[in-house]
Amino acid sequence: MGLATVYRALNSFTELGILKEMKVDNTSYYELKIYSGKVMHVHFKCINCKNVFDLDDKNLVLEYIKLNNSIEKKFGVEIKDSDIMLIGLCSDCSRKKGS
């Protein structure tokens, strides 16, 4: 399969709502839209190693839901999707820096 075919498939899956594209520093990242309703998770990007990953934590998600509900109520909007990208040092790079 050619690279152009892969990019066309990514674009098609994004347009169909199967994938979600996130752009970080001119690089595209794709993830499955496997969540029902509102997408509620937080991403982290390390400024040192450039790794991007999800911060999966039940309590964090619950606080995020509370924040979204508060915003919807205060501003009379309905949030369907959101992207939160936290940027800093991952635990590995933070340890290396401290050594």
Side-chain angles (χ1 to χ4, degrees):
M1 179 183 305
L3 192 55
T5 303
V6 172
Y7 285 122
R8 280 193 301 273
L10 287 172
N11 286 335
S12 294
F13 290 151
T14 302
E15 289 174 7
L16 291 169
I18 297 169
L19 293 178
K20 179 177 181 175
E21 179 182 18
M22 282 188 338
K23 289 195 181 260
V24 180
D25 298 334
N26 296 322
T27 300
S28 292
Y29 296 89
Y30 297 89
E31 61 186 17
L32 286 172
K33 291 192 77 167
I34 58 174
Y35 305 97
S36 62
K38 299 176 186 177
V39 177
M40 301 276 181
H41 64 283
V42 179
H43 299 92
F44 186 90
K45 178 182 180 189
C46 180
I47 57 176
N48 187 50
C49 68
K50 310 299 186 214
N51 192 18
V52 176
F53 53 91
D54 289 342
L55 298 176
D56 293 319
D57 179 89
K58 180 181 175 182
N59 292 326
L60 179 63
V61 171
L62 291 174
E63 290 299 319
Y64 187 27
I65 290 170
K66 287 181 193 175
L67 175 62
N68 277 295
N69 290 339
S70 176
I71 290 169
E72 287 178 329
K73 184 176 179 181
K74 181 174 183 175
F75 296 101
V77 297
E78 184 178 345
I79 298 171
K80 294 291 189 184
D81 196 1
S82 64
D83 289 317
I84 293 183
M85 177 68 70
L86 302 174
I87 300 170
L89 290 173
C90 69
S91 58
D92 290 339
C93 291
S94 184
R95 276 193 298 272
K96 290 175 189 174
K97 185 177 177 182
S99 300

